[in-house]
Coordinates of all heavy atoms in Angstrom, one line a residue:
M1 N 5.3 -11.9 -2.8 CA 3.9 -11.7 -2.6 C 3.2 -10.8 -3.6 O 2.0 -10.7 -3.6 CB 3.7 -11.1 -1.1 CG 4.0 -12.1 0.0 SD 3.2 -13.7 -0.1 CE 1.5 -13.4 -0.2
I2 N 4.0 -10.0 -4.3 CA 3.4 -9.1 -5.3 C 2.5 -9.7 -6.2 O 1.4 -9.2 -6.4 CB 4.6 -8.3 -6.0 CG1 5.3 -7.5 -4.9 CG2 4.0 -7.4 -7.1 CD1 6.6 -6.9 -5.4
P3 N 2.8 -10.8 -6.9 CA 1.9 -11.5 -7.8 C 0.6 -11.9 -7.1 O -0.5 -11.8 -7.6 CB 2.6 -12.7 -8.3 CG 4.0 -12.4 -8.2 CD 4.1 -11.5 -6.9
V4 N 0.7 -12.3 -5.8 CA -0.5 -12.7 -5.1 C -1.4 -11.5 -4.8 O -2.6 -11.5 -4.9 CB -0.1 -13.4 -3.8 CG1 -1.3 -13.7 -2.8 CG2 0.6 -14.7 -4.1
Y5 N -0.7 -10.4 -4.3 CA -1.5 -9.2 -4.0 C -2.1 -8.7 -5.3 O -3.3 -8.2 -5.3 CB -0.5 -8.1 -3.5 CG -0.1 -8.4 -2.0 CD1 -0.5 -9.5 -1.3 CD2 0.7 -7.4 -1.4 CE1 0.0 -9.7 0.0 CE2 1.1 -7.6 -0.1 CZ 0.8 -8.8 0.6 OH 1.2 -8.9 1.9
R6 N -1.4 -8.7 -6.4 CA -2.0 -8.2 -7.7 C -3.2 -9.0 -8.0 O -4.2 -8.4 -8.4 CB -0.9 -8.3 -8.8 CG -1.5 -7.8 -10.2 CD -0.4 -8.0 -11.3 NE 0.8 -7.3 -11.0 CZ 1.0 -6.0 -11.1 NH1 0.0 -5.2 -11.6 NH2 2.2 -5.4 -10.8
E7 N -3.1 -10.3 -7.9 CA -4.3 -11.2 -8.2 C -5.5 -10.9 -7.3 O -6.6 -10.7 -7.8 CB -3.9 -12.6 -8.1 CG -5.0 -13.6 -8.4 CD -4.6 -15.1 -8.1 OE1 -3.5 -15.3 -7.7 OE2 -5.5 -15.9 -8.2
L8 N -5.3 -10.7 -6.0 CA -6.4 -10.4 -5.1 C -7.0 -9.1 -5.5 O -8.3 -9.0 -5.5 CB -5.9 -10.4 -3.7 CG -5.6 -11.7 -3.0 CD1 -4.9 -11.6 -1.7 CD2 -6.9 -12.5 -2.8
I9 N -6.2 -8.1 -5.7 CA -6.8 -6.8 -6.0 C -7.5 -6.8 -7.4 O -8.6 -6.3 -7.5 CB -5.7 -5.7 -6.0 CG1 -5.0 -5.6 -4.7 CG2 -6.2 -4.3 -6.5 CD1 -5.9 -5.3 -3.5
E10 N -6.9 -7.3 -8.4 CA -7.5 -7.4 -9.7 C -8.7 -8.3 -9.8 O -9.7 -8.0 -10.5 CB -6.5 -7.7 -10.8 CG -5.4 -6.6 -10.9 CD -4.3 -6.9 -11.9 OE1 -4.2 -8.0 -12.4 OE2 -3.5 -6.0 -12.2
D11 N -8.8 -9.3 -9.0 CA -10.0 -10.2 -8.9 C -11.1 -9.4 -8.3 O -12.3 -9.8 -8.6 CB -9.7 -11.4 -8.1 CG -8.9 -12.5 -8.9 OD1 -8.7 -12.3 -10.1 OD2 -8.5 -13.5 -8.2
K12 N -10.9 -8.4 -7.5 CA -11.9 -7.6 -7.0 C -12.3 -6.4 -7.9 O -13.0 -5.5 -7.5 CB -11.5 -7.1 -5.6 CG -11.5 -8.2 -4.6 CD -11.2 -7.6 -3.2 CE -11.2 -8.7 -2.1 NZ -12.5 -9.3 -1.9
G13 N -11.7 -6.3 -9.1 CA -12.0 -5.3 -10.0 C -11.1 -4.0 -9.8 O -11.4 -3.0 -10.4
G14 N -10.0 -4.2 -9.0 CA -9.2 -3.0 -8.7 C -8.0 -2.9 -9.7 O -7.7 -3.8 -10.5
R15 N -7.3 -1.8 -9.6 CA -6.1 -1.5 -10.4 C -5.0 -1.6 -9.4 O -5.0 -0.9 -8.4 CB -6.2 -0.2 -11.1 CG -5.0 0.1 -11.9 CD -5.1 1.5 -12.6 NE -5.4 2.5 -11.6 CZ -4.6 3.6 -11.6 NH1 -3.7 3.9 -12.5 NH2 -4.9 4.5 -10.7
F16 N -4.0 -2.4 -9.6 CA -2.9 -2.6 -8.7 C -1.7 -1.7 -9.1 O -1.2 -1.8 -10.2 CB -2.5 -4.1 -8.8 CG -1.4 -4.5 -7.9 CD1 -1.6 -4.9 -6.6 CD2 -0.1 -4.4 -8.3 CE1 -0.6 -5.2 -5.7 CE2 1.0 -4.8 -7.5 CZ 0.7 -5.2 -6.2
L17 N -1.3 -0.9 -8.1 CA -0.1 -0.1 -8.2 C 0.8 -0.6 -7.1 O 0.3 -0.8 -6.0 CB -0.4 1.4 -8.1 CG -1.3 2.0 -9.2 CD1 -1.6 3.4 -8.8 CD2 -0.7 1.9 -10.5
H18 N 2.1 -0.6 -7.3 CA 3.0 -1.1 -6.3 C 4.3 -0.2 -6.2 O 4.8 0.3 -7.3 CB 3.5 -2.5 -6.7 CG 4.6 -3.0 -5.8 ND1 5.9 -3.1 -6.3 CD2 4.5 -3.5 -4.6 CE1 6.6 -3.6 -5.3 NE2 5.8 -3.9 -4.3
R19 N 4.7 0.0 -5.0 CA 6.0 0.8 -4.8 C 6.7 0.0 -3.8 O 6.2 -0.2 -2.7 CB 5.7 2.2 -4.3 CG 7.0 2.9 -4.2 CD 6.8 4.4 -3.7 NE 8.0 5.1 -3.7 CZ 9.0 5.0 -2.7 NH1 8.8 4.1 -1.8 NH2 10.1 5.7 -2.8
D20 N 8.0 -0.4 -4.1 CA 8.7 -1.2 -3.1 C 9.8 -0.4 -2.4 O 10.5 -0.9 -1.5 CB 9.3 -2.4 -3.7 CG 10.5 -2.1 -4.7 OD1 10.9 -1.0 -4.8 OD2 11.0 -3.1 -5.3
G21 N 10.0 0.9 -2.7 CA 11.0 1.7 -2.0 C 12.4 1.5 -2.4 O 13.3 2.0 -1.8
G22 N 12.6 0.6 -3.4 CA 14.0 0.3 -3.9 C 14.6 1.5 -4.7 O 14.0 2.5 -4.9
E23 N 15.8 1.3 -5.1 CA 16.6 2.3 -5.8 C 15.8 2.8 -7.0 O 15.9 4.0 -7.4 CB 17.9 1.7 -6.2 CG 19.1 2.5 -6.2 CD 19.2 3.7 -5.2 OE1 19.1 3.5 -4.0 OE2 19.4 4.8 -5.7
E24 N 15.1 1.9 -7.7 CA 14.4 2.3 -9.0 C 13.2 3.1 -8.7 O 12.6 3.7 -9.5 CB 14.1 1.0 -9.8 CG 13.0 0.1 -9.2 CD 13.6 -0.8 -8.1 OE1 14.8 -0.9 -7.8 OE2 12.7 -1.5 -7.5
D25 N 12.7 3.0 -7.4 CA 11.5 3.8 -7.0 C 11.9 5.0 -6.2 O 12.2 4.9 -5.0 CB 10.5 2.9 -6.2 CG 9.7 2.0 -7.1 OD1 9.3 2.5 -8.2 OD2 9.3 1.0 -6.6
K26 N 12.1 6.1 -6.8 CA 12.6 7.3 -6.1 C 11.6 7.7 -5.1 O 10.4 7.6 -5.2 CB 12.9 8.4 -7.1 CG 13.9 8.0 -8.2 CD 15.2 7.7 -7.6 CE 16.2 7.3 -8.7 NZ 17.3 6.5 -8.2
A27 N 12.1 8.3 -4.0 CA 11.2 8.7 -2.9 C 10.2 9.7 -3.3 O 9.1 9.7 -2.8 CB 12.1 9.3 -1.8
G28 N 10.5 10.6 -4.3 CA 9.5 11.6 -4.7 C 8.3 11.0 -5.4 O 7.3 11.7 -5.6
Q29 N 8.4 9.7 -5.8 CA 7.2 9.1 -6.5 C 6.1 8.7 -5.5 O 5.0 8.4 -5.9 CB 7.7 7.9 -7.3 CG 8.6 8.3 -8.5 CD 9.1 7.1 -9.2 OE1 9.1 6.0 -8.7 NE2 9.6 7.3 -10.4
L30 N 6.5 8.6 -4.2 CA 5.5 8.1 -3.2 C 4.2 9.0 -3.2 O 3.1 8.5 -3.3 CB 6.1 8.0 -1.9 CG 5.2 7.5 -0.7 CD1 4.7 6.1 -1.1 CD2 6.0 7.5 0.6
G31 N 4.4 10.3 -3.1 CA 3.3 11.2 -3.0 C 2.3 11.1 -4.2 O 1.1 10.9 -4.0
P32 N 2.8 11.2 -5.4 CA 1.9 11.1 -6.6 C 1.2 9.7 -6.6 O 0.0 9.7 -7.0 CB 2.9 11.2 -7.8 CG 4.0 12.1 -7.3 CD 4.2 11.6 -5.8
M33 N 1.9 8.6 -6.2 CA 1.2 7.3 -6.2 C 0.1 7.3 -5.2 O -1.0 6.8 -5.4 CB 2.2 6.2 -5.9 CG 3.0 5.7 -7.1 SD 3.9 4.3 -6.7 CE 2.7 3.0 -7.2
L34 N 0.4 7.9 -4.0 CA -0.7 7.9 -3.0 C -1.8 8.8 -3.4 O -3.0 8.5 -3.2 CB -0.1 8.4 -1.7 CG 0.9 7.5 -1.0 CD1 1.6 8.2 0.2 CD2 0.2 6.3 -0.5
Q35 N -1.5 9.9 -4.1 CA -2.6 10.8 -4.6 C -3.5 10.1 -5.6 O -4.7 10.3 -5.6 CB -2.0 12.0 -5.3 CG -1.5 13.1 -4.3 CD -2.6 13.8 -3.7 OE1 -3.3 13.3 -2.8 NE2 -2.9 15.0 -4.1
S36 N -3.0 9.2 -6.4 CA -3.8 8.6 -7.4 C -4.6 7.4 -6.9 O -5.4 6.9 -7.6 CB -2.9 8.1 -8.6 OG -2.1 7.0 -8.2
A37 N -4.3 7.0 -5.7 CA -5.0 5.8 -5.1 C -6.3 6.2 -4.5 O -6.5 7.2 -3.9 CB -4.1 5.2 -4.0
D38 N -7.3 5.3 -4.6 CA -8.6 5.4 -3.9 C -8.4 4.7 -2.5 O -9.1 5.1 -1.6 CB -9.7 4.8 -4.7 CG -10.0 5.5 -6.0 OD1 -10.0 6.7 -6.0 OD2 -10.2 4.8 -7.0
L39 N -7.6 3.8 -2.5 CA -7.4 3.0 -1.3 C -5.9 2.6 -1.2 O -5.3 2.3 -2.2 CB -8.2 1.7 -1.3 CG -7.8 0.6 -0.3 CD1 -8.3 1.0 1.1 CD2 -8.6 -0.7 -0.7
V40 N -5.3 2.8 0.0 CA -3.8 2.4 0.1 C -3.7 1.2 1.0 O -4.4 1.2 2.1 CB -3.1 3.6 0.8 CG1 -1.6 3.3 1.0 CG2 -3.2 4.8 -0.2
I41 N -3.0 0.3 0.6 CA -2.7 -0.9 1.5 C -1.2 -0.9 1.8 O -0.4 -0.8 0.9 CB -3.1 -2.2 0.7 CG1 -4.5 -2.2 0.4 CG2 -2.7 -3.4 1.6 CD1 -4.9 -3.3 -0.6
C42 N -0.9 -0.8 3.1 CA 0.4 -0.6 3.5 C 0.9 -1.9 4.2 O 0.3 -2.3 5.2 CB 0.5 0.6 4.5 SG 2.2 1.0 5.0
Q43 N 2.0 -2.5 3.7 CA 2.6 -3.7 4.3 C 3.5 -3.3 5.4 O 4.7 -3.1 5.2 CB 3.3 -4.5 3.2 CG 4.0 -5.7 3.7 CD 2.9 -6.8 4.1 OE1 2.1 -7.2 3.3 NE2 3.0 -7.2 5.3
V44 N 3.0 -3.2 6.6 CA 3.8 -2.5 7.7 C 5.0 -3.4 8.2 O 5.9 -2.8 8.7 CB 2.9 -2.2 8.9 CG1 1.8 -1.2 8.5 CG2 2.2 -3.4 9.5
G45 N 5.0 -4.6 8.0 CA 6.1 -5.5 8.4 C 7.3 -5.3 7.6 O 8.4 -5.8 7.9
C46 N 7.2 -4.6 6.4 CA 8.3 -4.5 5.5 C 8.7 -3.1 5.2 O 9.4 -2.8 4.2 CB 7.9 -5.2 4.2 SG 7.4 -6.9 4.3
I47 N 8.4 -2.1 6.0 CA 8.7 -0.7 5.7 C 9.4 -0.1 6.9 O 9.4 -0.5 8.0 CB 7.4 0.1 5.4 CG1 6.5 0.2 6.6 CG2 6.7 -0.5 4.2 CD1 5.4 1.2 6.4
S48 N 10.1 1.0 6.5 CA 10.8 1.8 7.6 C 9.8 2.6 8.4 O 8.6 2.8 7.9 CB 11.8 2.7 6.9 OG 11.1 3.8 6.2
H49 N 10.1 3.0 9.6 CA 9.3 3.8 10.4 C 8.9 5.1 9.7 O 7.8 5.6 9.7 CB 9.9 4.1 11.7 CG 10.0 2.9 12.6 ND1 8.9 2.4 13.2 CD2 11.0 2.2 13.0 CE1 9.3 1.4 13.9 NE2 10.6 1.2 13.8
N50 N 9.9 5.7 9.0 CA 9.7 7.0 8.3 C 8.7 6.8 7.2 O 7.8 7.6 7.0 CB 11.1 7.4 7.7 CG 11.0 8.8 7.1 OD1 10.1 9.6 7.4 ND2 11.9 9.1 6.2
A51 N 8.8 5.7 6.4 CA 7.8 5.5 5.3 C 6.4 5.2 5.9 O 5.4 5.7 5.4 CB 8.3 4.3 4.5
Y52 N 6.4 4.5 7.0 CA 5.1 4.2 7.6 C 4.4 5.5 8.0 O 3.2 5.7 7.7 CB 5.3 3.4 8.9 CG 4.1 3.2 9.7 CD1 3.1 2.2 9.5 CD2 3.8 4.1 10.8 CE1 2.0 2.1 10.3 CE2 2.7 4.0 11.6 CZ 1.8 3.0 11.3 OH 0.7 2.9 12.1
W53 N 5.1 6.4 8.7 CA 4.5 7.7 9.1 C 4.2 8.6 7.9 O 3.2 9.3 7.9 CB 5.4 8.4 10.1 CG 5.4 7.7 11.4 CD1 6.4 7.0 11.9 CD2 4.3 7.5 12.3 NE1 6.0 6.4 13.1 CE2 4.7 6.7 13.4 CE3 3.0 8.0 12.3 CZ2 3.9 6.4 14.4 CZ3 2.1 7.7 13.3 CH2 2.6 6.9 14.4
R54 N 5.0 8.6 6.8 CA 4.7 9.4 5.7 C 3.4 8.9 5.0 O 2.5 9.7 4.6 CB 5.8 9.3 4.6 CG 7.0 10.1 5.0 CD 8.1 10.2 4.0 NE 7.6 10.8 2.7 CZ 8.2 10.6 1.6 NH1 9.3 9.9 1.5 NH2 7.7 11.2 0.5
V55 N 3.2 7.6 4.9 CA 2.0 7.0 4.3 C 0.8 7.4 5.2 O -0.2 7.8 4.7 CB 2.1 5.5 4.1 CG1 0.8 4.9 3.8 CG2 3.1 5.2 3.0
K56 N 0.9 7.1 6.5 CA -0.2 7.4 7.4 C -0.6 8.8 7.4 O -1.8 9.2 7.3 CB 0.2 6.9 8.8 CG -0.9 6.9 9.8 CD -0.5 6.3 11.1 CE -1.7 6.3 12.0 NZ -1.4 5.6 13.3
E57 N 0.4 9.8 7.5 CA 0.1 11.2 7.5 C -0.5 11.6 6.2 O -1.5 12.4 6.1 CB 1.3 12.0 7.8 CG 1.6 12.1 9.2 CD 0.5 12.8 10.0 OE1 0.0 13.9 9.6 OE2 0.0 12.2 11.0
H58 N 0.0 11.2 5.0 CA -0.6 11.5 3.7 C -2.0 11.1 3.7 O -2.9 11.9 3.2 CB 0.2 10.9 2.6 CG -0.3 11.2 1.3 ND1 0.0 12.3 0.5 CD2 -1.3 10.6 0.5 CE1 -0.6 12.3 -0.6 NE2 -1.5 11.3 -0.6
C59 N -2.3 9.9 4.0 CA -3.7 9.4 4.0 C -4.6 10.2 4.9 O -5.7 10.5 4.5 CB -3.7 7.9 4.3 SG -3.0 6.9 3.0
K60 N -4.1 10.5 6.1 CA -4.9 11.3 7.0 C -5.2 12.7 6.4 O -6.4 13.1 6.4 CB -4.2 11.4 8.3 CG -5.0 12.1 9.4 CD -4.2 12.2 10.7 CE -4.9 13.0 11.7 NZ -4.1 13.0 13.0
R61 N -4.2 13.4 5.9 CA -4.4 14.7 5.3 C -5.3 14.7 4.1 O -6.0 15.7 3.9 CB -3.0 15.3 4.9 CG -2.3 16.0 5.9 CD -1.1 16.8 5.4 NE -0.4 16.2 4.3 CZ 0.6 15.4 4.4 NH1 1.1 15.0 5.5 NH2 1.2 14.9 3.3
H62 N -5.3 13.7 3.3 CA -6.0 13.7 2.1 C -7.3 12.8 2.1 O -7.9 12.6 1.1 CB -5.1 13.2 0.9 CG -4.0 14.2 0.7 ND1 -4.1 15.4 0.0 CD2 -2.7 14.1 1.1 CE1 -3.0 16.0 0.0 NE2 -2.1 15.3 0.6
G63 N -7.6 12.3 3.3 CA -8.9 11.6 3.5 C -8.9 10.2 2.8 O -9.9 9.8 2.3
K64 N -7.7 9.6 2.6 CA -7.6 8.3 1.9 C -7.7 7.2 3.0 O -7.1 7.3 4.1 CB -6.2 8.2 1.3 CG -5.9 9.3 0.3 CD -6.3 8.8 -1.1 CE -5.9 9.9 -2.1 NZ -6.3 9.6 -3.4
L65 N -8.4 6.2 2.6 CA -8.5 5.0 3.4 C -7.2 4.3 3.3 O -6.7 4.0 2.2 CB -9.6 4.1 3.0 CG -9.8 2.8 3.8 CD1 -10.0 3.1 5.3 CD2 -11.0 2.0 3.3
C66 N -6.6 3.9 4.4 CA -5.3 3.2 4.4 C -5.5 1.9 5.2 O -5.8 2.0 6.4 CB -4.2 4.0 5.0 SG -2.6 3.2 4.8
L67 N -5.3 0.8 4.6 CA -5.5 -0.5 5.3 C -4.0 -1.0 5.6 O -3.2 -1.0 4.7 CB -6.2 -1.5 4.4 CG -7.6 -1.1 3.9 CD1 -8.2 -2.2 3.0 CD2 -8.5 -0.8 5.1
F68 N -3.8 -1.4 6.8 CA -2.5 -1.9 7.2 C -2.5 -3.4 7.3 O -3.3 -4.0 8.0 CB -2.1 -1.2 8.5 CG -1.9 0.3 8.4 CD1 -2.9 1.1 8.8 CD2 -0.7 0.8 7.9 CE1 -2.8 2.5 8.7 CE2 -0.6 2.2 7.8 CZ -1.6 3.0 8.2
V69 N -1.5 -4.0 6.6 CA -1.4 -5.4 6.6 C -0.1 -5.7 7.4 O 1.0 -5.3 7.1 CB -1.2 -6.0 5.2 CG1 -1.0 -7.5 5.2 CG2 -2.4 -5.6 4.3
E70 N -0.3 -6.5 8.5 CA 0.8 -6.8 9.4 C 1.8 -7.8 8.9 O 3.0 -7.6 9.2 CB 0.2 -7.3 10.7 CG -0.7 -6.3 11.5 CD 0.1 -5.1 12.0 OE1 1.3 -5.3 12.4 OE2 -0.5 -4.0 12.0
T71 N 1.4 -8.8 8.2 CA 2.4 -9.8 7.7 C 2.2 -10.0 6.2 O 1.1 -9.9 5.7 CB 2.2 -11.1 8.4 OG1 0.8 -11.6 8.2 CG2 2.5 -11.0 9.9
P72 N 3.3 -10.3 5.5 CA 3.2 -10.4 4.0 C 2.7 -11.8 3.7 O 3.4 -12.8 3.5 CB 4.7 -10.3 3.6 CG 5.5 -10.7 4.8 CD 4.7 -10.3 6.0
S73 N 1.3 -11.9 3.6 CA 0.7 -13.2 3.3 C -0.6 -13.0 2.6 O -1.2 -11.9 2.8 CB 0.5 -14.1 4.5 OG -0.5 -13.6 5.3
R74 N -1.0 -13.9 1.8 CA -2.3 -13.8 1.1 C -3.5 -13.7 2.2 O -4.3 -12.9 2.0 CB -2.5 -15.1 0.3 CG -3.9 -15.1 -0.5 CD -4.1 -16.4 -1.3 NE -5.2 -16.2 -2.1 CZ -5.2 -15.8 -3.4 NH1 -4.1 -15.6 -4.0 NH2 -6.3 -15.7 -4.0
S75 N -3.4 -14.6 3.2 CA -4.5 -14.6 4.2 C -4.5 -13.3 5.0 O -5.6 -12.8 5.3 CB -4.3 -15.8 5.2 OG -3.1 -15.7 5.9
A76 N -3.4 -12.6 5.3 CA -3.4 -11.4 6.0 C -4.1 -10.3 5.1 O -4.9 -9.5 5.6 CB -2.0 -11.0 6.3
L77 N -3.7 -10.2 3.8 CA -4.4 -9.3 2.9 C -5.9 -9.5 2.8 O -6.7 -8.6 2.8 CB -3.7 -9.2 1.6 CG -4.3 -8.3 0.5 CD1 -4.2 -6.8 1.1 CD2 -3.5 -8.4 -0.8
E78 N -6.2 -10.8 2.7 CA -7.7 -11.2 2.5 C -8.4 -10.7 3.8 O -9.5 -10.2 3.7 CB -7.8 -12.7 2.3 CG -7.4 -13.1 0.9 CD -7.5 -14.6 0.7 OE1 -7.2 -15.3 1.7 OE2 -7.7 -15.0 -0.4
R79 N -7.8 -10.9 5.0 CA -8.5 -10.5 6.2 C -8.7 -9.0 6.2 O -9.8 -8.5 6.6 CB -7.7 -10.9 7.4 CG -7.9 -12.3 7.9 CD -7.3 -12.6 9.2 NE -5.9 -12.3 9.3 CZ -4.9 -13.1 9.0 NH1 -5.2 -14.3 8.5 NH2 -3.6 -12.8 9.1
V80 N -7.7 -8.2 5.8 CA -7.8 -6.7 5.8 C -8.9 -6.3 4.7 O -9.7 -5.4 5.0 CB -6.5 -6.1 5.5 CG1 -6.6 -4.6 5.1 CG2 -5.5 -6.3 6.6
L81 N -8.9 -6.9 3.6 CA -9.8 -6.6 2.5 C -11.3 -7.0 2.9 O -12.2 -6.5 2.3 CB -9.4 -7.2 1.2 CG -8.2 -6.6 0.5 CD1 -7.8 -7.4 -0.7 CD2 -8.4 -5.1 0.2
C82 N -11.4 -8.0 3.7 CA -12.7 -8.6 4.1 C -13.6 -7.5 4.6 O -14.8 -7.4 4.4 CB -12.5 -9.7 5.1 SG -14.1 -10.5 5.5
G83 N -13.1 -6.5 5.4 CA -13.9 -5.5 6.0 C -14.1 -4.3 5.1 O -14.8 -3.4 5.4
Y84 N -13.5 -4.3 3.9 CA -13.6 -3.2 2.9 C -14.6 -3.6 1.8 O -14.4 -4.6 1.1 CB -12.3 -2.9 2.3 CG -12.3 -1.7 1.4 CD1 -12.5 -0.4 1.9 CD2 -12.2 -1.9 0.0 CE1 -12.5 0.7 1.0 CE2 -12.2 -0.8 -0.8 CZ -12.4 0.5 -0.3 OH -12.4 1.5 -1.2
T85 N -15.7 -2.9 1.7 CA -16.8 -3.3 0.8 C -16.9 -2.6 -0.5 O -17.6 -3.0 -1.4 CB -18.1 -3.3 1.5 OG1 -18.3 -1.9 2.0 CG2 -18.2 -4.2 2.7
E86 N -16.2 -1.4 -0.6 CA -16.2 -0.7 -1.8 C -15.4 -1.4 -2.9 O -14.5 -2.2 -2.6 CB -15.6 0.7 -1.6 CG -16.5 1.6 -0.6 CD -17.8 1.9 -1.2 OE1 -17.9 2.3 -2.4 OE2 -18.8 1.8 -0.4
P87 N -15.6 -1.0 -4.2 CA -14.7 -1.6 -5.2 C -13.3 -1.2 -4.9 O -13.0 0.0 -4.5 CB -15.2 -0.9 -6.5 CG -16.6 -0.4 -6.2 CD -16.6 -0.2 -4.7
V88 N -12.4 -2.1 -5.0 CA -11.0 -1.8 -4.7 C -10.2 -1.3 -5.9 O -10.1 -2.0 -6.9 CB -10.3 -3.1 -4.1 CG1 -8.9 -2.9 -3.8 CG2 -11.1 -3.6 -2.9
R89 N -9.8 -0.1 -5.8 CA -8.8 0.5 -6.7 C -7.7 0.9 -5.9 O -7.6 2.0 -5.4 CB -9.5 1.7 -7.5 CG -10.5 1.2 -8.4 CD -11.1 2.4 -9.2 NE -11.8 3.4 -8.3 CZ -13.0 3.2 -7.8 NH1 -13.7 2.2 -8.1 NH2 -13.6 4.1 -7.0
A90 N -6.7 0.0 -5.7 CA -5.7 0.2 -4.6 C -4.3 0.4 -5.1 O -4.0 0.0 -6.2 CB -5.8 -1.1 -3.7
A91 N -3.5 1.0 -4.2 CA -2.1 1.1 -4.5 C -1.4 0.4 -3.3 O -1.0 1.1 -2.3 CB -1.7 2.6 -4.5
P92 N -1.3 -0.9 -3.3 CA -0.6 -1.5 -2.3 C 0.9 -1.1 -2.2 O 1.5 -0.9 -3.2 CB -0.6 -3.0 -2.6 CG -1.8 -3.1 -3.6 CD -1.8 -1.8 -4.3
L93 N 1.3 -0.9 -1.0 CA 2.7 -0.4 -0.8 C 3.5 -1.4 0.0 O 3.1 -1.8 1.1 CB 2.7 0.9 -0.1 CG 2.0 2.0 -0.8 CD1 2.0 3.3 0.1 CD2 2.7 2.3 -2.1
N94 N 4.5 -1.9 -0.6 CA 5.5 -2.8 0.1 C 6.7 -1.9 0.1 O 7.6 -2.2 -0.6 CB 5.6 -4.1 -0.6 CG 6.7 -5.0 0.1 OD1 7.1 -4.7 1.2 ND2 7.1 -6.0 -0.6
V95 N 6.8 -0.9 0.9 CA 7.9 0.0 0.9 C 9.0 -0.5 1.8 O 8.9 -0.5 3.0 CB 7.4 1.4 1.4 CG1 8.5 2.4 1.3 CG2 6.2 1.9 0.6
Q96 N 10.0 -1.0 1.2 CA 11.1 -1.6 2.0 C 11.9 -0.4 2.6 O 11.9 0.7 2.2 CB 12.0 -2.4 1.1 CG 11.3 -3.6 0.5 CD 12.1 -4.2 -0.7 OE1 13.1 -3.7 -1.1 NE2 11.6 -5.4 -1.1
T97 N 12.7 -0.8 3.6 CA 13.5 0.2 4.3 C 14.4 0.9 3.3 O 15.2 0.4 2.5 CB 14.4 -0.4 5.3 OG1 13.6 -1.1 6.2 CG2 15.2 0.6 6.1
D98 N 14.2 2.2 3.2 CA 14.9 3.1 2.3 C 15.2 4.4 3.0 O 14.3 5.2 3.3 CB 14.0 3.3 1.1 CG 14.6 4.2 0.0 OD1 15.8 4.7 0.2 OD2 13.9 4.5 -1.0
P99 N 16.5 4.7 3.3 CA 16.8 5.9 4.1 C 16.3 7.2 3.4 O 16.1 8.2 4.1 CB 18.3 5.9 4.2 CG 18.8 4.6 3.5 CD 17.6 3.9 2.9
A100 N 16.1 7.1 2.1 CA 15.6 8.3 1.4 C 14.1 8.6 1.6 O 13.6 9.6 1.2 CB 16.0 8.2 -0.1
V101 N 13.4 7.5 2.0 CA 12.0 7.7 2.2 C 11.6 8.2 3.5 O 12.1 7.9 4.5 CB 11.3 6.3 1.9 CG1 9.8 6.4 2.2 CG2 11.6 5.8 0.5

């Protein structure tokens, strides 16, 4: 779904950043990525509970809009983005279960 998400975000004039929570994406990188985002899109069906709460708390503390996508599909992301009218400069997160996160 990453290429599909990238296309949707970039077609709206946004910059796509992605973090999958894998071994190559160290847990310490999550905070700086979230800080640089104007909008966070969180793929909730693919993340650990810990990662979900970290993303949600970070966005709340820093006043970041966080859109939650329930299922990994183009239509699910389009539905979530449909209600968002500002230019999208997003950091979609597909944070897979990662005990370090």
Side-chain angles (χ1 to χ4, degrees):
M1 292 308 305
I2 295 166
V4 172
Y5 287 2
R6 180 180 304 280
E7 178 185 355
L8 284 170
I9 299 303
E10 290 178 353
D11 282 352
K12 292 185 176 293
R15 182 177 58 128
F16 181 88
L17 300 174
H18 171 259
R19 181 179 187 285
D20 71 4
E23 217 26 60
E24 67 282 355
D25 279 328
K26 303 298 181 208
Q29 294 175 344
L30 181 59
M33 279 189 91
L34 290 171
Q35 280 289 75
S36 70
D38 294 318
L39 167 69
V40 175
I41 300 170
C42 185
Q43 180 67 59
V44 297
C46 302
I47 65 171
S48 68
H49 290 287
N50 187 22
Y52 170 85
W53 289 110
R54 284 185 62 197
V55 169
K56 189 171 180 175
E57 277 301 308
H58 178 89
C59 290
K60 184 178 176 180
R61 270 194 325 272
H62 297 282
K64 303 266 183 184
L65 179 59
C66 187
L67 305 176
F68 295 97
V69 180
E70 295 294 325
T71 57
S73 71
R74 179 183 189 97
S75 61
L77 180 58
E78 286 174 331
R79 278 191 303 273
V80 168
L81 290 175
C82 183
Y84 183 72
T85 58
E86 294 295 316
V88 177
R89 289 181 298 279
L93 299 178
N94 177 14
V95 185
Q96 298 168 351
T97 303
D98 177 4
V101 175

